[in-house]
Structure formats: C-alpha cells, structure tokens
Amino acid sequence: GNSVTQMEGPVTLSEEAFLTINCTYTATGYPSLFWYVQYPGEGLQLLLKATKADDKGSNKGFEATYRKETTSFHLEKGSVQVSDSAVYFCALSGSGGYNKLIFGAGTRLAVHP
Amino acid sequence: SAVISQKPSRDICQRGTSLTIQCQVDSQVTMMFWYRQQPGQSLTLIATANQGSEATYESGFVIDKFPISRPNLTFSTLTVSNMSPEDSSIYLCSGTVTGEGEQYFGPGTRLTVT
C-alpha cells in the first residue's frame, strides 16, 4: 500500500542555517505530494504541494520538488528563522486529489537564535 | 480555500462517557475526513465522512466506537463513545473544497479521558 517515510527528528538548527527534511514515498499510480506544518498548539496548515513529477512547490521560502525517479519530496529552506520552529509532515494522496491523505511520522524542527 | 472550525477546542471527560465533536466549514466541501493524532504522533485517518451515506472507516476503527454524521456539505460530527484513557488524543477534521485538491484542517479538539 501507499506509505510515506520521513527523516526522524528532532532537527535542531541555528537561525539562518540551511534546512533539509527528507521524505520518500511508496505509491501506486501518480500521487499528489504535500508538506504540512503544525505550529505548537495549532492545527495543520498546508505549506506547499506538487501534483506531478518534476513539479516544484514553494511557499514562505520553503521548496520541495516531486522526484518520481527517486520517489522523493524533500523539503528545503535556505535560511531558517526561529519562527519556523514547528513539526513538519510529508503526506501523499492517491490519484485524483480528493483521496485521503497518508502522513509521514512528522519531523520536529527547533531553530535557535 | 476553506476555513474549518471545531467545537469544543478541548475537553476533559470521564471514562465510559461519550463526546461529540462538531466540525463546521465556511464553504461546501466535497470530502470530509476525521483524523486522530495521539500525543507526539502523526495523524491517523479514522474515517471519511460522506454526505447522505454512512462513513467509510479505516482498518482498526468501527462505527460503534466512532459514529459519524454528515447531514450537509459544510458540517460533520464525530462521537467518541464509551471513552477510555487510550482515547486521549487530538481529533482533527479536514475537508477538500470542490474543484481543489488539497485538504484544509480544523484546529483540532484536544481530548483527555480520565
């Protein structure tokens, strides 16, 4: 079945450091891929998405590219801020876009001044 | 886009009782979903709430324990029945807007069972 694997956290960085959070997936067909962010005490917010191979999703300085050949959707940011401290979830949905989401385990990011 | 609200935001309940969580969307959504997030864990889908028909439950979740209603395109409820401390979690609802692909999430209901 479909699944998502994320790098384990926590990830601890200094402000302005480069961030990579790895995400790989297993799926049949052509899933859509998402990154969601959960700030402390809040619900999930969609950070970015990509719906087909080679698409690059971007938002708030974060980027991720849908790599079908490596079944990956790694999240990157060139310079993190303290306000980026949160839990990041990689997720996929089946073909069609309306299907249920399958989430990775989540990666906690802590950014220190 | 869609803005989703949930009630209550949190509750502390006694073992053996039931709690109904409400989910309201500010626009019509095609699909609505209920997830559980246990402390420090990822999200697990409980069921898909279908308008006008019974919900579709994931493996490990049953209707008697988690009855769901969806009377229209903007509202759904999830009941956690005969609660035990193992049901202590955050329960989140989500929806996909007609014509869009992504899911929008409510803020969650933090449930503690004592």
Side-chain angles (χ1 to χ4, degrees):
Chain A
N2 295 347
S3 66
V4 176
T5 303
Q6 276 181 249
M7 66 184 287
E8 289 189 19
V11 174
T12 303
L13 296 173
S14 298
E15 208 164 22
E16 299 184 2
F18 184 86
L19 168 71
T20 300
I21 301 178
N22 289 340
C23 171
T24 57
Y25 68 90
T26 301
T28 55
Y30 302 93
S32 295
L33 302 173
F34 306 85
W35 278 100
Y36 281 84
V37 58
Q38 186 174 38
Y39 297 103
E42 299 185 13
L44 268 71
Q45 300 176 25
L46 177 65
L47 182 59
L48 53 84
K49 69 174 182 179
T51 58
K52 61 182 186 296
D54 300 325
D55 266 3
K56 177 186 283 188
S58 61
N59 186 25
K60 300 181 181 179
F62 291 89
E63 293 183 341
T65 301
Y66 188 146
R67 300 284 188 203
K68 191 164 178 62
E69 64 276 12
T70 54
T71 62
S72 65
F73 192 55
H74 304 321
L75 182 68
E76 296 181 338
K77 186 175 186 182
S79 176
V80 294
Q81 305 300 311
V82 172
S83 57
D84 293 326
S85 298
V87 180
Y88 292 82
F89 292 94
C90 185
L92 69 80
S93 70
S95 303
Y98 293 102
N99 292 349
K100 59 191 181 186
L101 286 172
I102 296 171
F103 285 88
T107 303
R108 182 175 299 278
L109 170 66
V111 181
H112 298 291
Chain B
S1 66
V3 177
I4 300 181
S5 59
Q6 288 184 231
K7 289 183 185 178
S9 59
R10 59 178 62 226
D11 206 342
I12 301 173
C13 301
Q14 289 192 342
R15 181 195 300 261
T17 62
S18 297
L19 175 72
T20 296
I21 302 168
Q22 298 180 3
C23 178
Q24 179 74 55
V25 191
D26 70 343
S27 56
Q28 292 186 351
V29 290
T30 306
M31 307 287 284
M32 293 183 76
F33 305 88
W34 287 96
Y35 292 84
R36 181 173 73 183
Q37 185 179 23
Q38 294 180 303
Q41 303 294 315
S42 186
L43 282 77
T44 301
L45 181 65
I46 297 172
T48 302
N50 304 308
Q51 194 232 347
S53 64
E54 280 196 0
T56 304
Y57 289 83
E58 298 299 305
S59 176
F61 298 96
V62 295
I63 188 171
D64 289 346
K65 176 67 175 177
F66 297 102
I68 287 170
S69 77
R70 189 176 173 194
N72 57 52
L73 290 175
T74 63
F75 186 78
S76 178
T77 66
L78 168 75
T79 299
V80 186
S81 303
N82 188 25
M83 287 183 285
S84 67
E86 292 71 34
D87 295 320
S88 297
S89 289
I90 298 173
Y91 292 85
L92 298 103
C93 71
S94 71
T96 54
V97 175
T98 304
E100 298 184 21
E102 60 260 38
Q103 285 187 30
Y104 298 92
F105 282 80
T109 296
R110 185 179 296 271
L111 170 63
T112 302
V113 183
T114 61

